[in-house]
Amino acid sequence: MIPSQLVLRHIPKSEALINRSEVQRLITISEGWYILEKIQNEWIYNDLRFGLIAIDPDNPQFVFRYKLEENNGTITATEDRPDPSNMNAVLGNLWTRIKGN
């Protein structure tokens, strides 16, 4: 089944925190394919290489997403995984993408 329409969404790329060595390491790992955004007073680092998971069509999340927190002058990145109760939907969407449908 081929989708009837393509929906494009613009997500701004923030430059905040990019000079921090901890964030530079994430940028290197993601080969420069990232978005850094602030959501409800939290900094989120998204690795764009693996795309979005659209469990909730109104609020899709990137497959690899990290919350950035500063403690005692050091930024730590904690992986922010999708809600495990929705894992059947995640795997179903992934399987559909793998099949190319």
Side-chain angles (χ1 to χ4, degrees), residues 9 55-60:
R9 180 177 160 211
I55 297 170
D56 176 0
D58 295 327
N59 187 26

Side-chain angles (χ1 to χ4, degrees), residues 8 29 43 61 71 73 76 92:
L8 299 177
I29 291 168
W43 283 103
Q61 288 187 359
N71 294 311
T76 56

Side-chain angles (χ1 to χ4, degrees), residues 2-17:
I2 298 174
S4 60
Q5 61 179 311
L6 176 66
V7 177
L8 299 177
R9 180 177 160 211
H10 177 265
I11 302 172
K13 183 177 186 175
S14 175
E15 298 294 321
L17 303 178

Side-chain angles (χ1 to χ4, degrees), residues 26-37:
L26 290 170
I27 292 170
T28 299
I29 291 168
S30 66
E31 300 175 349
W33 292 94
Y34 74 96
I35 292 174
L36 187 60
E37 58 185 339

Side-chain angles (χ1 to χ4, degrees), residues 55-93:
I55 297 170
D56 176 0
D58 295 327
N59 187 26
Q61 288 187 359
F62 286 92
V63 174
F64 291 103
R65 163 184 165 127
Y66 302 89
K67 288 184 182 179
L68 303 179
E69 295 178 303
E70 186 171 4
N71 294 311
N72 298 324
T74 302
I75 294 179
T76 56
T78 305
E79 190 172 357
D80 183 22
R81 297 181 181 199
D83 181 359
S85 66
N86 295 328
M87 207 46 66
N88 284 338
V90 170
L91 294 176
N93 287 341

